Amino acid sequence: MRRFSVLALLREGLAGQRGWQPQWRHPEPKPAYDALIIGGGGHGLGTAYYLAREHGLTNIAVLEKGWIGSGNTGRNTTIIRSNYLFPESAALYDHAVKLWESLSQELNYNVMFSQRGVMMLAHTVHDMQVAKRHVHANRAAGVDNEWLTPQQAQAFCPLLNIGDIRYPVLGAALQRRGGTARHDAVAWGYARAADALGVDIIENCEVRGIQRDANGAVTGVETTRGTIRAPRIGVAAAGNTSVVLRMADVELPLESYPLQALVSEPVKPVFPCVVMSNTIHAYISQSDKGELVIGAGTDAYTSYTQRGGPHITSHALEAICELFPMFRRMRMLRCWGGIVDVTPDRSPIIGKTGVPGLYVNCGWGTGGFKATPGSAHVFAWTIARDEPHALNAPFTLERFRDGDLIDEAAAAAVAH
Ligand code: FAD
Ligand code: PYC
């Protein structure tokens, strides 16, 4: 069987892959749809999938200015967890973790979800107090989280240096149900499944304007591939959300920053879990390809450049080498940046915008990959019913007007 597939692969390679079927169609945009989603990342594609699958809206299109997954979905370090402080957040992120657990089956596409455990280190007494507060709050909300001593942390991740280092490890919070998934498989899996339900996925189609009628309601968009009409538009454009929403005169409380990550040369499996250090702004896991996946904090300055300062990654690497001395001689292969959209309380915005027919899903900052299925699921509900799902009702734009902030700066962890 193995021999057969290697031969088949060879044959396809030599024949220009003519026998491979495209996983989704590449249709020309129609003049009009029942709904449009701007942004072909995991959140936008997932939203289209749930709109079609759960709400029967199949005459819809996803408009992506580049290729699908070319934004933060394809740039992130894939850490998935739900150990946020407030019950509203724990409920939203845990909704996502539960959907992750069956996503490969749901989409019939292997998204390689691996619940290998996410361990967040504490290096100071203050870190310990914050981490224990999260452990207690999560357990009260029915979300798994546990406190480990330094020795227990090392037993869970044997490469961890708990000796006398610049950043002593005083303990760790461990969410065993946390882990990783394959980022672009999430975009591809949702795209293929949405396409099969009739959703048009239109790549290389940048939205340049949002059209509105005399009452202010949306009527369509102007794109690099022409005008497309629709009475409902959902925006899932991550770091570009402010730019897109300004096309409809909507100002959002968002700031966009570069966030960087890097990968090493591939090595055999050595690293069994995910480790994050919020104080040091560094985190690490090993991909199934064998690369160490390492992330850093955000730049201190707002920017749309998709690349950050080199001092940020070198700081993260110094810290990683102290925590895991075994990696000192590893060579880094490449690094990159994405633009993350950060709200004042470090929680997302999912809801209506004040412009009839225009909905937004944004503000995930450094941590929206983990939320992809849950966020897409409740955003689809919001667009289909013109009202929030119970899980995203606390995350609408009105909370900034009413002062009902959900301050997750400590749980958002990296960067903020
Ligand atoms: P995106 O994937 O960015 O999709 C938005 C899409 O909108 C883009 O493809 C873009 O091209 C498109 N677009 C923008 N403007 C327009 C327009 N005018 N017309 C048409 N299309 C447009 N989160 C975690 O949970 N765990 C992590 O470990 C993690 N690590 C990260 C590491 C890095 C380096 C970065 C940058 C982010 C990380 N994140 C992480 C955050 C996470 O990647 C994002 O929150 C999440 O992927 C956002 O998904 P999305 O679908 O909303 O956005
Ligand atoms: O939100 O868990 C997270 C995260 C890790 C790295 C970047 N974001």
Side-chain angles (χ1 to χ4, degrees), residues 352-412:
K352 298 164 118 175
T353 59
V355 171
L358 185 63
Y359 307 86
V360 70
N361 175 353
C362 67
W364 293 97
T366 59
F369 179 71
K370 66 174 77 65
T372 305
S375 144
H377 186 246
V378 299
F379 192 42
W381 172 294
T382 305
I383 296 171
R385 302 189 179 212
D386 197 36
E387 64 182 22
H389 184 282
L391 287 174
N392 66 303
F395 293 94
T396 58
L397 198 45
E398 285 73 29
R399 75 175 186 275
F400 298 102
R401 179 197 63 199
D402 301 338
D404 294 331
L405 302 186
I406 305 170
D407 190 336
E408 291 288 2

Side-chain angles (χ1 to χ4, degrees), residues 76-81 83-84 93 118 120 179 259-260 274-276 278 282-284 294-296 364-370 411-416:
N76 82 93
T77 48
T78 79
I79 297 174
I80 295 169
R81 57 191 173 85
N83 52 356
Y84 283 69
Y93 289 98
V118 174
M120 300 173 94
L259 179 71
Q260 298 178 78
V274 180
V275 175
M276 301 179 66
N278 306 338
Y283 44 97
I284 178 166
I294 296 173
W364 293 97
T366 59
F369 179 71
K370 66 174 77 65
V414 281
H416 302 124

Side-chain angles (χ1 to χ4, degrees), residues 38-44 63-67 70-73 75-79 205-207 236-238 240 244 247 259-261 283 336 338-340 364-370:
I38 303 177
H43 289 240
L63 309 180
E64 165 54 50
K65 72 175 175 181
W67 62 93
S70 59
N72 291 345
T73 297
R75 293 164 185 271
N76 82 93
T77 48
T78 79
I79 297 174
C205 182
E206 179 175 348
V207 173
N240 288 292
V244 174
M247 296 172 193
L259 179 71
Q260 298 178 78
Y283 44 97
W336 63 88
I339 301 302
V340 297
W364 293 97
T366 59
F369 179 71
K370 66 174 77 65

